[in-house]
Amino acid sequence: MLLAGLTEIVLPLKNPVLQFSLILFIILFVPFFFKRLRIPSLISLIIAGAVVGPHGMNLMLRDSSIVLFGTVGLLYIMFLAGLEIDVADFKKNSGKSILFGLYTFLISQLLGIFVALYFLHFSLLSSVLIGSIFASHTLIVYPVVSRLGIAKDKAVNIAVGGTMITDTLALLVLAVIAGSSDGELSSVFWIRLVIGIMVFSLIVLLLFPVLTRWFFKRFDDSVLQYLFVLGMVFLAAFLAEAAGVEPIIGAFLGGLALNRLIAHTSPLMNRIRFVGDAIFIPFFLIGVGMLIDFRAFFKDVATIRVALVITVAATLAKYVSAWITQKIYGFSLDQRRLIFGLISAHAAVALATVLIGYNIVTGYTLDGTPVRLLDESVLNGTILFILVTCTLATIVGEKGAQNIAAAETGDFRAGEGLKVSAERILIPMNDIKTVEELVNLGVTIKSRQNLDGLFALHVADSAVSGGPVEKHAEKVLEKAVMTAASTDNQLTGLFRYDSSVANGIAGVVREQKITDLILGLHHKTSLADSFLGSLSEELLVACNVTTFIYKPAQPLATIRRTIAVIPQGAESEEGFLLWIDRLSSMVDNTGSKLLFYGSPQTLGYLKEHHGTRFPNSEYKIFRNLDDFSGLAKEIRADDNLVVVMSRRNHRSWHSRMSKIPGYLGRYFERNSFILIYPVQTGGEEELIEFPEIRLPKRIQFSVVPVRSQMEKVLKRIPLKKISFRRNPPE
């Protein structure tokens, strides 16, 4: 039976199971073998597509399934480019991106027209179309940029932003040429095109974020969120097509619209990258390869001539654009290589342009042969042009990207390696419902370079040990590990018995050398409960580490603004730089806008010493911690409030801080908020005021640096003033 089934296999393969299996094995093994030959994986997939395609071994046809997945892959590349771009930097450099896009388009378009007219001897209309092929490019190198983690580099932002300009203009030229050939180039055509683009842009950039934020707030299922995002991308692509431009422009704008709502460290972003890198983008590359007909290169001299001329001229135009950009903005050699790699690859847009030109018939010869706007030699030459430019762009761009990534890693190790290597975040957890949000906060505040600094802890009462307790702990910790793994972060689950939960957590803090502690805000069960809860209050005394007390009201990804309230004197605390680092990571990873509220002195210090870390933040005077009622009038539904606190009687402590829990419960019940308690020294004398009683004016006790139970007892003595001088333990 098996042999009988094998004899029925004919080429090209028709069985969808065999087709899909073959493509998966190509994606799996071909890059591995070509890597040994130092050929980039992107090029290896294009070559593999040419070998198995209809012009090679004819194992597969470029049928509708390949076209569908390839289209999805191209849209995915553009979507990722819009999704991963640094929006703040993009806005800051929007003028540079527009300028870059304009002169890149003009250089390529004009050189393409000149070459086609005087070297290839084409008509003016055909030459303009050749120029649009030169001007457009495909971000085929972008997956490499994303994988190396340099998507926020200034050169990448300018190149990606300029791509939208160049491709839009090139596609508009294509639309005009197609319209003129059909005799539709009238005022109605222009009005319809302009209005369509304006309406489409407004819908995608204004309406899409509102719909996505609404969906994310109400549905936290990862599968539903991914399907919703995918649906929005294709809707944006369709709206672009309906407006008269190519779908890739819609996919890019869709990514730009959803940029702030999909955190770069979130599980959703990890799933988006994974599916694209594993399935859709490789399908696109294999589909491009299937178009290549190696035999056509040897049929006639015209094909080789066209391929050689347009390849050299288009590559020269893109190199000149990259060189000009390097000189204008002072980029490095590797940044120039990266820009050239991003803008010199021609694939989908060039292919669409040449196919449209090939299908436009301008007349007929005497024997009835159709005269096409772009003949067969241009079609075949463009296929070779696509292969060569994609290969060159990948080799040069990948070299520049790798050098930039290596340089950033070197700077990081030289400047901040010690601090980040010691970054260890502990998240005690008991309620399985809050696990995801607590882990997401941990992933959000940590540095991206440190992938294994997360710890989840469940402490059980040693008096109530047994199977049910351990099963509950196993479920909680397993969910924590899975949540972190979905963001490509490693989390270590810890379980221990102790007579006190606070003692258990404090013990782990010391044993694991924890630097940051994340606590969920407890739920009050009685009127006697304090706002923070007894556990948090005990840990604030026992653990002198940066402590975050978090109350999530909505997912971090849906936060529009982060409001940071900073007390006067916070900059003088030992742990100031530590929580500043965490806040910087949180803002970068969520894409939220940051607003600082504080005293003029503290805000002035932040601007002077840390202004470059928060380039797009706002600073507002907040003189009195009692003024939370005024702040409540400015707070919005999608704001996250961050309040920097202080342990009692330290440098930045104010007596008004005791009222902050009441303000949070009264004015910000529907908002997410985080209380940050920084690392603080105890070197100064701690003075505590008591009612006037006739006792000795002053008594001084010597205690060890770690506050002991004896110190708590001494504080209860009704003396007018008590001071504690901290001496090292003997």
Side-chain angles (χ1 to χ4, degrees):
M1 291 293 293
L2 179 60
L3 293 176
L6 289 175
T7 57
E8 296 176 2
I9 298 177
V10 294
L11 299 181
L13 298 175
K14 301 293 184 181
N15 189 313
V17 177
L18 278 177
Q19 286 181 323
F20 199 74
S21 298
L22 177 61
I23 290 179
L24 290 180
F25 282 119
I26 289 173
I27 297 171
L28 179 62
F29 291 113
V30 167
F32 173 76
F33 290 114
F34 275 82
K35 189 176 182 180
R36 295 187 174 185
L37 303 175
R38 297 184 180 275
I39 296 177
S41 59
L42 301 180
I43 299 305
S44 67
L45 291 174
I46 294 177
I47 295 174
V51 171
V52 304
H55 304 297
M57 298 174 64
N58 197 30
L59 296 180
M60 293 180 62
L61 294 176
R62 193 173 186 270
D63 56 17
S64 58
S65 62
I66 300 295
V67 173
L68 173 62
F69 277 95
T71 302
V72 174
L74 175 59
L75 296 179
Y76 227 93
I77 291 175
M78 296 302 295
F79 170 60
L80 281 174
L83 195 62
E84 294 187 336
I85 197 171
D86 189 328
V87 173
D89 199 38
F90 179 72
K91 290 181 179 179
K92 183 180 178 181
N93 297 306
S94 59
K96 297 176 182 178
S97 294
I98 293 172
L99 178 63
F100 169 77
L102 289 175
Y103 67 68
T104 299
F105 171 78
L106 288 174
I107 291 172
S108 301
Q109 183 72 46
L110 294 176
L111 183 60
I113 294 174
F114 176 81
V115 166
L117 278 175
Y118 297 103
F119 284 84
L120 300 177
H121 307 294
F122 289 158
S123 66
L124 179 59
L125 208 58
S126 299
S127 299
V128 172
L129 206 55
I130 292 290
S132 71
I133 294 175
F134 280 30
S136 66
H137 55 261
T138 302
L139 294 173
I140 201 170
V141 181
Y142 190 82
V144 176
V145 171
S146 176
R147 187 173 65 251
L148 292 174
I150 58 171
K152 290 192 174 185
D153 188 88
K154 187 177 180 180
V156 176
N157 276 326
I158 291 177
V160 171
T163 296
M164 184 176 66
I165 304 298
T166 55
D167 281 1
T168 300
L169 293 175
L171 293 169
L172 284 176
V173 170
L174 176 59
V176 171
I177 294 295
S180 64
S181 65
D182 294 337
E184 296 180 357
L185 203 60
S186 62
S187 58
V188 176
F189 168 83
W190 290 106
I191 293 173
R192 185 172 65 246
L193 183 64
V194 171
I195 293 177
I197 293 175
M198 289 178 60
V199 172
F200 144 72
S201 301
L202 290 174
I203 291 175
V204 173
L205 294 177
L206 298 181
L207 185 60
F208 274 32
V210 175
L211 292 175
T212 305
R213 182 173 281 106
W214 173 88
F215 188 89
F216 284 0
K217 281 184 177 182
R218 285 156 180 80
F219 302 95
D220 58 358
D221 182 85
S222 58
V223 176
L224 291 179
Q225 288 186 349
Y226 177 78
L227 292 176
F228 178 82
V229 168
L230 205 60
M232 297 300 282
V233 172
F234 282 94
L235 178 59
F238 169 75
L239 291 175
E241 195 171 25
V245 294
E246 284 297 307
I248 58 174
I249 303 300
F252 178 81
L253 280 185
L256 209 58
L258 303 185
N259 184 289
R260 289 192 181 277
L261 295 169
I262 303 176
H264 296 284
T265 56
S266 66
L268 178 58
M269 178 61 114
N270 190 50
R271 294 183 184 98
I272 290 172
R273 289 196 188 105
F274 173 79
V275 176
D277 292 342
I279 300 294
F280 293 136
I281 295 175
F283 259 92
F284 163 68
L285 298 172
I286 292 171
V288 170
M290 287 184 175
L291 294 167
I292 298 175
D293 184 2
F294 293 106
R295 292 168 295 185
F297 307 146
F298 307 101
K299 287 181 179 179
D300 57 84
V301 179
T303 297
I304 299 296
R305 182 167 173 267
V306 169
L308 183 63
V309 169
I310 64 175
T311 300
V312 172
T315 302
L316 177 63
K318 297 300 184 182
Y319 177 81
V320 170
S321 298
W323 181 82
I324 291 174
T325 308
Q326 179 196 12
K327 297 303 179 183
I328 292 177
Y329 302 122
F331 288 154
S332 66
L333 174 62
D334 287 317
Q335 286 177 309
R336 187 186 75 192
R337 288 172 176 159
L338 181 55
I339 292 174
F340 175 76
L342 287 168
I343 68 173
S344 61
H346 300 265
V349 182
L351 184 61
T353 303
V354 74
L355 287 175
I356 290 174
Y358 181 77
N359 291 326
I360 294 177
V361 178
T362 58
Y364 293 90
T365 61
L366 294 176
D367 59 356
T369 303
V371 177
R372 303 179 184 277
L373 192 60
L374 297 179
D375 59 23
E376 190 172 350
S377 65
V378 178
L379 177 63
N380 293 327
T382 302
I383 300 299
L384 181 59
F385 163 68
I386 289 173
L387 176 63
V388 174
T389 56
C390 286
T391 303
L392 182 63
T394 303
I395 293 172
V396 176
E398 191 166 319
K399 180 177 178 58
Q402 288 174 345
N403 290 342
I404 291 172
E408 288 184 357
T409 303
D411 293 341
F412 166 75
R413 287 174 178 171
E416 300 184 7
L418 290 177
K419 179 175 63 179
V420 174
S421 63
E423 180 187 67
R424 300 169 73 84
I425 301 172
L426 178 65
I427 312 172
M429 50 185 60
N430 180 49
D431 187 356
I432 197 169
K433 295 179 182 178
T434 61
V435 167
E436 286 192 15
E437 284 303 319
L438 291 176
V439 173
N440 286 338
L441 177 61
V443 171
T444 302
I445 66 173
K446 66 186 287 297
S447 60
R448 296 186 188 181
Q449 292 87 349
N450 188 16
L451 300 178
D452 58 355
L454 287 175
F455 298 84
L457 170 65
H458 180 79
V459 179
D461 189 346
S462 56
V464 195
S465 60
V469 173
E470 295 180 2
K471 285 184 179 180
H472 174 69
E474 184 180 348
K475 288 182 179 179
V476 170
L477 295 177
E478 183 182 2
K479 186 172 183 180
V481 171
M482 291 176 62
T483 303
S486 66
T487 63
D488 278 344
N489 284 277
Q490 181 179 342
L491 181 143
T492 303
L494 304 172
F495 173 67
R496 70 187 288 167
Y497 285 104
D498 205 292
S499 58
S500 165
V501 175
N503 286 340
I505 296 173
V508 172
V509 168
R510 292 189 293 270
E511 293 165 7
Q512 299 292 338
K513 298 180 181 179
I514 297 299
T515 59
D516 301 84
L517 185 63
I518 296 178
L519 305 172
L521 184 69
H522 89 302
H523 299 284
K524 295 181 67 173
T525 57
S526 67
L527 293 176
D529 277 357
S530 63
F531 182 79
L532 298 180
S534 59
L535 175 61
S536 297
E537 291 176 347
E538 290 181 49
L539 290 173
L540 289 174
V541 172
C543 304
N544 188 25
V545 296
T546 308
T547 304
F548 301 82
I549 300 178
Y550 179 38
K551 191 215 81 171
Q554 65 185 78
L556 279 171
T558 61
I559 296 297
R560 287 176 181 266
R561 303 189 306 171
T562 298
I563 312 294
V565 179
I566 306 174
Q568 185 173 349
E571 66 275 15
S572 64
E573 297 286 4
E574 180 186 7
F576 177 77
L577 291 177
L578 297 177
W579 69 257
I580 280 287
D581 279 344
R582 306 299 181 260
L583 182 64
S584 175
S585 296
M586 182 169 65
V587 172
D588 287 343
N589 291 329
T590 60
S592 59
K593 183 178 181 181
L594 179 61
L595 285 79
F596 283 113
Y597 283 75
S599 65
Q601 296 84 353
T602 301
L603 295 182
Y605 181 88
L606 276 169
K607 287 182 183 179
E608 181 180 355
H609 297 280
H610 301 281
T612 55
R613 300 187 66 178
F614 306 102
N616 301 297
S617 59
E618 295 183 11
Y619 300 84
K620 297 190 176 184
I621 302 299
F622 192 76
R623 299 182 183 275
N624 195 325
L625 289 177
D626 285 334
D627 196 25
F628 272 83
S629 59
L631 179 62
K633 298 177 183 177
E634 301 182 27
I635 207 80
R636 301 172 187 170
D638 296 318
D639 289 346
N640 179 32
L641 182 64
V642 176
V643 183
V644 181
M645 302 288 285
S646 171
R647 292 166 177 83
R648 190 175 181 84
N649 297 317
H650 284 270
R651 295 172 183 174
S652 59
W653 183 80
H654 301 278
S655 58
R656 299 186 187 93
M657 282 187 179
S658 60
K659 300 180 181 179
I660 289 179
Y663 295 144
L664 294 176
R666 186 185 313 165
Y667 299 117
F668 308 101
E669 185 180 0
R670 297 184 179 180
N671 289 93
S672 296
F673 61 76
I674 302 172
L675 300 178
I676 300 179
Y677 289 84
V679 175
Q680 295 177 296
T681 57
E684 294 186 348
E685 288 189 340
E686 301 177 3
L687 300 180
I688 305 178
E689 299 291 340
F690 285 89
E692 188 72 29
I693 300 177
R694 291 185 179 181
L695 287 171
K697 293 183 178 179
R698 185 181 183 92
I699 298 179
Q700 189 173 64
F701 300 94
S702 293
V703 296
V704 297
V706 178
R707 185 171 298 181
S708 63
Q709 294 296 323
M710 188 62 181
E711 183 177 344
K712 295 180 183 179
V713 174
L714 292 173
K715 281 190 174 183
R716 299 176 184 271
I717 301 175
L719 298 177
K720 181 178 180 181
K721 288 187 178 181
I722 304 177
S723 68
F724 295 96
R725 187 184 64 203
R726 297 184 177 274
N727 296 328
E730 296 181 358

